[in-house]
Amino acid sequence: MAARGKSDKRVEPSFEGSRPSGDLRLDADERIVGNGRPGRRPSKAESEDRDERSERPERVRPSRNRKVPPRREGGGFFAPLRRLVYWCFVLGIWAGIAVGGLVLYYGARMPAASTWAIPDRPPNMKITAVDGSVVANRGSTGGEALALEEMSPYLPQAVIAIEDRRFYSHFGVDPLGLARAFVNNLTGQPIQGGSTITQQLAKNLFLSPDRTFERKIQEVLLSFWLEHKFTKDQILAMYLNRVFFGSNAYGVEAASRRYFNKSARDVNLGEAATLAGLLKAPSRLSPARDPKAAETRAQVVLGTMREEGYVTDSDLKTAMSQPPAKAKSYWTGAQHYAADMVVDEVKSLIGEPKVDVTIETTLDMRLEAAAEKSLNDVLKKEGGKLNASQAALVTVDATGAIRALVGGRDYATSQFNRAVKAKRQPGSAFKPFVYAAALEAGARPDSMVNDAPVKIGNWSPENFDEKYRGPVTLASAFAQSLNTVAAQLVMQVGPDKVVSLAHRLGIDSDIQANASIALGTSEVSLVELTSAYASFMNGGYKATPHIVKRITDPDGKVLYEADYANPPRVLSEPVAATMNGMMNRVINEGTGKAARIDGWQAAGKSGTTQSFRDALFVGYTSIMTTGIWFGNDDGAFMKKVTGGGLPAKAWKEYMTSAMKGYTPTPLFGTGRGLDLPPAAVQPDSPSTTIGDIISGILPGGRRTQDELPADYPPAPRPPAQDSASIEREPARVRPVYGDNQGYDNRDNRQIYDNRPVYGDRGRHSDVIPPGDVPARDYRQYRGPYDSPTPVPPGAIGGGPVPPGDVGVAGSRGQPRQTTLFDLIMGQ
């Protein structure tokens, strides 16, 4: 109340140390609180404290009427940002703890790191030709592993540029790459993966492709282990040798051969960019599936390489101007038919390989290319109009080594090997076995037979032209491929003897022992038929078909080595020589005229099956034997295609190319004037005595085995019999063809390394292109026909041809004895 009595004049605040005695001041006990009642009276202690404070200098307070701006809390404008950073930090700590816990949890579920090891790469089979060049690779990966230094330098550069630019600087995981991928994915830019090359390798080596958090953590842990265990170059090499490139190709070597048909050692910049581009989507970007997409991706890789400084602008311009890579939908090239055969043979020899193996084969890639070209040339030119869609070819040398094999028209379209796995009727191409059996039984090339209608049971064979020629010689009947004569010979010799001889020469398929085998009604494969013909070429020795020469492991240890240097004799030399002369007439004047090649003496036989389903020609020179088949997979009829037609034409084109580099040499047994072995001189028939009449009381008396011509010894026993009873001529190597027809045995090396001695020491020196391994000449492991060669005794096919009552006009080789029965009957 006393305040109201004071003047209303405004009192200015004082900046003095003490307050004027007349100032208005409300103490704590004078304030109105609550419901307007005075507050409680302070205690004595509080009063003393208040008095003490009143003596202190007092801070000037502003007037109540002056507005005081509100106090800003939390640090002003940056407070929200600081708050965000704070909470992010806190959350980061908790997230780190959570991730660490998960890492520990999933890491504990993995095997101990001490047990981790790089899994073995699936075994690869590297298949090489006689000159060491790679034919193909087979196995789960499709290619061999290469060291980083062996690869084209463009390959690792392209892969690093597009897949992991900081490969040589990170520790297995690239945080910057992860951040970049995260930002790009959030902002809608092209999706990128943040995995490094090390992480991709860890995933390929150890983990499944499942996209789970557990797998990602394990991938990171394994990446750390890989970086600790191996160098960067080792990691990169393992990655490039195992990563998937599409089209069943694993590793750069397999991919390079798959898409470019060359080694990864030789790829250029554009090809390397194409391969590196495949890693993003191997199946979708494959040049075999979408060449345009593969090229577009390769351009991206090239641009990245330029940014990273791996290539110059000039290199970039050159690479971008190259045509895009094109690849067929499957492996292409006839050599892959041979490679498939090699794989089957290797598994039968050593089982499933457990380590990488190198398989040295008998293939000659020069011949392989010539064979593929010849078949395709004939098919393109005449196959369409004659309804012939497929063909196959096999070439073997004197030992049975397969020098060329084509299993079909196009491996990329069909991988079925028609030369090995298909069995078809050989037709008249089977007749050499019939005639050889007849020769073993005592017939002669000049023996007379009657070409006339024949009926055997319910079967009446007819000639191809439905004409009959009457009395003809065996040689003439063979050259003209007369069916009636072949049927008569089968019945005279016996079907079982013909079957036995065919098996002896190498026909492994089942053959029905009936009269119809004269026309080749039992099915055989082309490879066994061709190798059986090689026994005629080499002078009567077994030519076992084989394609694997040697198998070695990565350390050079020999796991298998073939040895066909000492083959058994399966035909006597006179029979082999006679058959060579008869089959030579087939080409010179018979059904195989289209197969004649300039400058070479050749022999062979054509074959055509019923309704022109199959057509074959099998022939040989002194160097190699080749069989060719034309037809259709579904057995559809061709338009009058015979063995002397398309197959003979293809045989001529191929053999003309194959014989380049060799000096023409005569067929076995015709070394002196190319004449057939002289016919045996038959003694004049002695006058018939009463003893002869008594001893020959029954009709058809025959000479005994001892009375056969001396130059026609009986055939040997088949190889299936006791080997002790088979005499084998020792193998002779490196012959020197001189006037003395001698042999040089100074270098008795493995059979595949034998070459004729060159120079002027012999008049038959072969001229062989540098680097080529020649096919085996028959003279390289046996003597010429004129040299004395022991023929083992045997009874197979022994005995003369029994007197035939079907179409035989007479035989100068076997005069018939007069018996008492003949005299009584007036004969």
Side-chain angles (χ1 to χ4, degrees), residues 25 45 86 145 208 218 266 274 286 355 360 380 441 609 642 645 691 696 738 796 812:
R25 175 172 183 151
Y86 169 78
S208 67
Q218 293 174 345
D266 306 320
T274 301
S286 168
V355 297
E360 301 173 32
K380 290 177 181 178
T609 62
T642 64
I796 293 182
R812 288 176 286 178

Side-chain angles (χ1 to χ4, degrees), residues 8 31 74 107 186 206 310 338 540 548-549 557 575 583 621 810 827:
D8 293 335
R31 294 175 184 157
L186 283 182
F206 304 103
Y310 289 121
V548 175
K549 181 172 67 173
K557 179 183 177 182
V575 171
M583 282 193 272
T621 63
Q827 298 178 358

Side-chain angles (χ1 to χ4, degrees), residues 275-299:
L275 292 179
L278 293 176
L279 298 175
K280 180 180 181 181
S283 298
R284 180 171 58 85
L285 298 175
S286 168
R289 178 178 179 178
D290 193 343
K292 191 171 182 179
E295 175 65 13
T296 302
R297 178 64 177 169
Q299 301 287 345

Side-chain angles (χ1 to χ4, degrees), residues 204-270:
N204 293 338
L205 290 178
F206 304 103
L207 304 173
S208 67
D210 300 335
R211 295 188 175 185
T212 62
F213 194 70
E214 178 182 3
R215 187 197 64 77
K216 198 66 178 177
I217 290 177
Q218 293 174 345
E219 177 185 302
V220 171
L221 294 176
L222 289 168
S223 298
F224 293 156
W225 177 79
L226 287 172
E227 291 280 344
H228 172 72
K229 193 79 174 178
F230 303 97
T231 66
K232 288 287 188 178
D233 286 349
Q234 288 175 325
I235 292 173
L236 183 59
M238 284 190 287
Y239 176 77
L240 291 174
N241 280 305
R242 295 175 185 247
V243 69
F244 180 57
F245 285 93
S247 299
N248 202 33
Y250 291 83
V252 290
E253 176 70 4
S256 179
R257 292 192 177 277
R258 171 66 181 85
Y259 298 122
F260 312 125
N261 198 27
K262 63 169 66 172
S263 172
R265 302 173 178 89
D266 306 320
V267 297
N268 57 36
L269 175 58

Side-chain angles (χ1 to χ4, degrees), residues 457-481:
N458 295 325
W459 179 51
S460 298
E462 296 180 346
N463 294 326
F464 177 77
D465 57 4
E466 299 181 354
K467 296 179 181 180
Y468 303 96
R469 293 156 182 81
V472 293
T473 63
L474 283 184
S476 178
F478 184 80
Q480 299 177 67
S481 195

Side-chain angles (χ1 to χ4, degrees), residues 19 115 185 226 424 426 468 523:
R19 185 182 61 181
T115 64
N185 296 340
L226 287 172
R424 297 178 180 269
Y468 303 96
E523 295 179 339

Side-chain angles (χ1 to χ4, degrees), residues 17 40 49 112 196 295 307 376 395 472 544 653 666 673 734 749 760 806:
R40 69 177 179 86
D49 180 64
T196 64
E295 175 65 13
E307 292 176 7
N376 281 287
T395 293
V472 293
T544 304
E653 179 179 336
R734 294 182 63 87
R749 294 181 295 175
D760 56 3
V806 183

Side-chain angles (χ1 to χ4, degrees), residues 334-341 405 407-408 410-411 414-417:
Q335 70 273 14
H336 290 287
Y337 289 112
D340 291 344
M341 182 183 180
L405 185 142
D410 184 7
Y411 185 83
S414 171
Q415 294 81 52
F416 180 68
N417 194 334

